């Protein structure tokens, strides 16, 4: 009788869209590094804050929040908090794939 094997597929984090400003191609934020920032469940709001901190953003908009939430959904459903590994994957994905706010639609004054 054939046996079925359930294998969970690991979804990979996207590579960075842009190189780091420092010019070092190996200077990318890693999931392992980000995971080490946390020792317990990571609140949803903290995930958003961590991504904003990486870009040195003082305030964010709905486009930014939507981007981060789409990155979270790549790995898991939205929740109040996430295990460190899932939060780290979502943070790195969001940092690697953010290409800025569509300012003409945002309405935020810079």
């Amino acid at each position: 009788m054939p046996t079925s094997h359930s294998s969970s597929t690991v979804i990979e984090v996207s590579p960075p869209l842009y190189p780091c400003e420092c010019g070092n191609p190996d200077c990318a934020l890693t999931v392992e590094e980000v995971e080490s920032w946390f020792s317990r469940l990571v609140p949803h709001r903290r995930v958003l804050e961590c991504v904003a901190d990486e870009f040195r953003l003082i305030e964010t908009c709905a486009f930014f929040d939507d981007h981060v939430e789409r990155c979270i959904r790549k790995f898991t459903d939205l929740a109040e908090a996430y295990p460190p590994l899932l939060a780290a994957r979502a943070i790195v994905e969001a940092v690697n794939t953010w290409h800025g706010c569509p300012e003409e639609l945002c309405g935020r004054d810079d």
Side-chain angles (χ1 to χ4, degrees):
M1 173 156 97
T3 59
S4 76
H5 296 281
S6 89
S7 62
S8 77
T9 304
V10 174
I11 299 170
E12 295 296 322
V13 172
S14 300
L17 288 175
Y18 307 102
C20 178
E21 293 174 359
C22 77
N24 179 353
D26 297 323
C27 184
L29 192 62
T30 66
V31 172
E32 294 78 16
E33 177 186 354
V34 175
E35 186 180 13
S36 74
W37 298 349
F38 311 112
S39 60
R40 60 184 110 145
L41 286 176
V42 183
H44 181 83
R45 185 91 223 134
R46 185 69 188 124
V47 172
L48 294 167
E49 290 168 354
C50 286
V51 177
D53 288 349
E54 285 301 308
F55 291 111
R56 297 178 192 92
L57 300 176
I58 295 169
E59 63 181 85
T60 60
C61 66
F63 291 101
F64 177 86
D65 292 351
D66 182 57
H67 171 73
V68 176
E69 289 178 354
R70 276 185 278 124
C71 292
I72 292 168
R73 282 190 205 100
K74 179 175 177 177
F75 304 104
T76 190
D77 293 329
L78 294 181
E80 289 185 26
Y82 310 97
L85 178 59
L86 289 176
R89 287 175 155 282
I91 290 166
V92 173
E93 179 72 17
V95 168
N96 286 355
T97 59
W98 176 245
H99 50 79
C101 178
E103 293 177 38
E104 66 280 0
L105 299 175
C106 182
R108 182 183 69 189
D109 294 327
D110 287 328

